[in-house]
Amino acid sequence: CPDWNDGEHLERTVADMVKLYPGVGSLAVVPVGLTNHRKNLPNLKAFTPAIARQTITHVSAIQRKLKKKLGTPFVFLGDEIYIMAGEPLPPMSHYRDFPQIENGVGMVRTFLKQFDGATRKKVPPGRQRGTVCTGKVFYPYLKDSVQRLGMDLKVVPVESQFWGPGIGVAGLLTGSDFVSALRGKVHGDFVVLPSESMIGDDYLFLDDLKLADVEEELGVEVLPSGYSAGDFVERMRARG
């Protein structure tokens, strides 16, 4: 949170956590996501590209020192910070054993590597056309990857209407967000939605809509993407 727990406060947090290493194995630094629902809440500053660049510079210096001391950067930045700053993602080796991947740390790099592996076997051109959805943050990477499949797929970046434009990750998108973005605009015969947006056997979204509800609203088949690039590629192969 800019001006709340960054700068010297972040340095103190890191120092306190490092004292507990290896009991505390790693620390993730991720940007605050502000929704439109902030009545009676503290006035927090939004994370910006300029702040993202400052954070990378600050934390990179800390990482270099800790890597010399501990053999690990210990502190890992969320993918969204690099993307917002317009900076390249670190290589796979930077993330060690990906201890913070569930916090969005190294998730994009992992997807890209998995996608490369999954597409070594040529994906046959599909006869059907389809729409693939994701959040604003991951959209450029997914669009570039999908183009390599040689299929007639349109990738759509979905903005969060439920939480507000300050939320750009796919995992927080709701069923109503997808319906709003796609109603009357579906390209092709099916829609693929990110599995990270749903939970349970009923594929439940955060707004209590289910995958079947979205399918009924859109009038086409709706598929979950799967939880890895390999899952996604296999599901696209099945459409061939």
Side-chain angles (χ1 to χ4, degrees):
C1 301
D3 297 338
W4 280 68
N5 61 351
D6 55 353
E8 63 183 40
H9 307 293
L10 175 60
E11 290 184 8
R12 185 170 64 250
T13 298
V14 174
D16 289 344
M17 294 298 99
V18 166
K19 292 175 185 176
L20 302 176
Y21 181 83
V24 173
S26 63
L27 181 68
V29 176
V30 298
V32 62
L34 302 179
T35 74
N36 285 345
H37 311 286
R38 299 198 51 77
K39 185 178 179 180
N40 298 324
L41 293 177
N43 184 24
L44 298 180
K45 182 187 292 185
F47 213 82
T48 65
I51 293 173
R53 289 188 287 271
Q54 292 169 7
T55 303
I56 292 172
T57 299
H58 185 199
V59 173
S60 292
I62 296 173
Q63 289 172 330
R64 287 192 292 270
K65 292 178 182 178
L66 292 179
K67 190 171 183 181
K68 288 181 180 179
K69 179 180 179 180
L70 304 176
T72 172
F74 184 77
V75 186
F76 297 92
L77 293 176
D79 297 355
E80 191 173 355
I81 295 178
Y82 295 104
I83 295 169
M84 189 177 292
E87 296 289 337
L89 296 167
M92 290 287 290
S93 58
H94 168 79
Y95 296 102
R96 320 296 284 185
D97 57 351
F98 290 83
Q100 296 280 352
I101 193 165
E102 291 185 5
N103 286 325
V105 180
M107 190 175 288
V108 174
R109 180 59 69 192
T110 299
F111 177 90
L112 295 176
K113 183 174 177 60
Q114 290 176 345
F115 193 89
D116 285 342
T119 53
R120 285 176 186 160
K121 178 182 176 183
K122 185 69 175 176
V123 179
R127 294 185 297 274
Q128 297 186 34
R129 300 177 301 147
T131 301
V132 181
C133 295
T134 189
K136 297 183 298 182
V137 172
F138 188 52
Y139 167 71
Y141 299 94
L142 184 60
K143 181 181 179 182
D144 288 347
S145 297
V146 165
Q147 286 177 342
R148 292 164 50 194
L149 293 177
M151 302 176 69
D152 190 358
L153 299 173
K154 180 181 179 181
V155 182
V156 175
V158 176
E159 184 164 297
S160 177
Q161 303 292 327
F162 189 87
W163 302 112
I167 303 300
V169 295
L172 293 178
L173 292 173
T174 65
S176 58
D177 290 331
F178 293 116
V179 172
S180 297
L182 297 177
R183 184 185 279 122
K185 301 177 184 177
V186 173
H187 174 80
D189 312 302
F190 64 95
V191 170
V192 182
L193 302 184
S195 290
E196 290 81 6
S197 302
M198 312 168 232
I199 60 171
D201 294 337
D202 290 334
Y203 299 107
L204 184 70
F205 295 95
L206 288 171
D207 59 356
D208 288 339
L209 288 183
K210 298 177 181 178
L211 189 69
D213 298 322
V214 176
E215 189 170 74
E216 183 177 353
E217 288 283 348
L218 298 180
V220 296
E221 183 181 9
V222 179
L223 310 168
S225 65
Y227 288 101
S228 70
D231 290 343
F232 173 71
V233 172
E234 284 303 317
R235 291 177 188 195
M236 294 305 95
R237 277 200 178 102
R239 309 301 301 191

